[in-house]
Structures are given as structure tokens and as C-alpha cells.
Amino acid sequence: MARTLIQIYEIQSPSQAELCARAGVDRIGSVALSPDDPGIAAVAETARAAKSMGLSTSLIPLFSGPDDVFKLLERVDPDVVHFCESLTGPAAVPLSSAVGLQEEVGRRFPHILRM
């Protein structure tokens, strides 16, 4: 039987990552609210600590400017980037833009899985 992967989001510190590792979590995730979010430094530190404990890391950028996303991925270097743009409604991102960004992330960061 396949083992279920356990992922917990909103882990913001190395001490939280350590607690997750002790509890048997496989992947921790964080959110970047904006390109200039002051919390990104803590997210990057948490991702490094989590990887040193054998955890996988995931990151959700809540913005889609390509240069900002690339800079974030260089800084944090997650195992997975989780895109979640709105494709409908007043805040909709054109589908071609969303797909184009994900394709470029794949070219620039082939080691980062895209979700």
C-alpha cells in the first residue's frame, strides 16, 4: 500500500519545522504574500532548516510577476512551487500568462516541481 504524504502549510520558523519533522510530516509549506514581504527572509531560513532535517518544502507565491517569482524561487529554493492564481472573476489572471509563467519556471528551475 502506498504511503500518504503529509504536508503542512504556514510553517514560518525553523522551530516549527522541527516540530513538524518530529511529528512525521513529510513536507512543509509557506506563503509569500508579496514580492517585498518582510517574512520572506524567515521563509528562506525555514526552508533551509527543513531541508537539513530531511523535509521537503513547498512555497505559494501570492503574486505572479515573473521577475518577482524568479527572485523568490532563487532566494527560497523550495522543492515545490504551488501556483494558485485565480483564473476567473475580477482578479483573474489570463490562462496564457499563468501557463507561460509555469513553463518559464520549469525552464529556469528544472529541479523545482510545479503544482
Side-chain angles (χ1 to χ4, degrees):
M1 180 187 288
R3 183 177 169 281
T4 300
L5 178 81
I6 300 169
Q7 176 174 303
I8 305 291
Y9 268 105
E10 283 305 307
I11 303 305
Q12 302 293 322
S13 71
S15 61
Q16 290 175 337
E18 183 178 359
L19 290 171
C20 287
R22 288 183 187 173
V25 170
D26 301 292
R27 179 182 297 147
I28 63 152
S30 298
V31 175
L33 300 176
S34 70
D36 52 352
D37 180 350
I40 291 173
V43 167
E45 178 185 0
T46 301
R48 284 190 297 276
K51 288 180 179 188
S52 76
M53 293 178 244
L55 298 176
S56 175
T57 60
S58 179
L59 182 62
I60 298 176
L62 294 182
F63 47 90
S64 58
D67 290 338
D68 293 327
V69 170
F70 304 149
K71 190 162 101 176
L72 175 71
L73 295 178
E74 287 171 0
R75 186 167 183 192
V76 178
D77 192 31
D79 296 300
V80 178
V81 59
H82 182 160
F83 292 103
C84 57
E85 282 89 19
S86 176
L87 301 176
T88 62
V93 173
L95 182 59
S96 61
S97 295
V99 170
L101 174 60
Q102 292 181 33
E103 289 174 341
E104 186 61 24
V105 165
R107 281 189 286 278
R108 290 180 184 224
F109 305 92
H111 65 287
I112 297 177
L113 298 173
R114 290 163 285 144
M115 184 164 71

